[in-house]
Amino acid sequence: MTTVMSLLSENPVVIFSKTTCCISHSIIALIRKFGANPTIYELDELPNGQVIERELMGFGCSPSVPAVFVGKKFVGGANEIISINLESKLKPLLIKANAIWM
């Protein structure tokens, strides 16, 4: 989990994705809709993508992408992000992490 944690160190929103995953694309678009500029790591384009994918599965990501971290904390995958958004909790979460401002 060292690799994943090092990639989270300076970014308020980090999304691990794959270029072939349409659900990941939708989650990225949703977060950008709030004005956040997430750092995106496309696992299928990274030389150590398989290592990172195994680490994400250790966090409980199943499937491994999308995996969304806000404020260095694992928030979840697509289901969790959509649920949080429907509960109107995504925007406050992004504000608290300094990913967006009011």
Side-chain angles (χ1 to χ4, degrees), residues 11-83:
N11 306 301
V13 180
V14 175
I15 302 173
F16 294 92
S17 176
K18 289 186 179 177
T19 57
T20 57
C21 179
C22 61
I23 299 300
S24 292
H25 175 75
S26 298
I27 295 301
I28 292 165
L30 173 64
I31 290 175
R32 283 183 173 156
K33 176 183 163 198
F34 287 101
N37 186 24
T39 299
I40 300 162
Y41 294 102
E42 300 288 358
L43 299 182
D44 54 342
E45 293 181 342
L46 297 173
N48 62 342
Q50 290 180 340
V51 172
I52 295 171
E53 189 167 9
R54 283 192 295 275
E55 287 185 22
L56 290 171
M57 294 182 104
F59 277 101
C61 302
S62 181
S64 59
V65 294
V68 180
F69 290 79
V70 178
K72 300 179 188 173
K73 294 180 184 172
F74 177 59
V75 177
N79 289 340
E80 292 80 11
I81 296 300
I82 291 169
S83 295

Side-chain angles (χ1 to χ4, degrees), residues 1-9 16 52 55-56 59 69:
M1 304 208 188
T2 307
T3 306
V4 171
M5 296 311 287
S6 67
L7 295 173
L8 302 177
S9 63
F16 294 92
I52 295 171
E55 287 185 22
L56 290 171
F59 277 101
F69 290 79

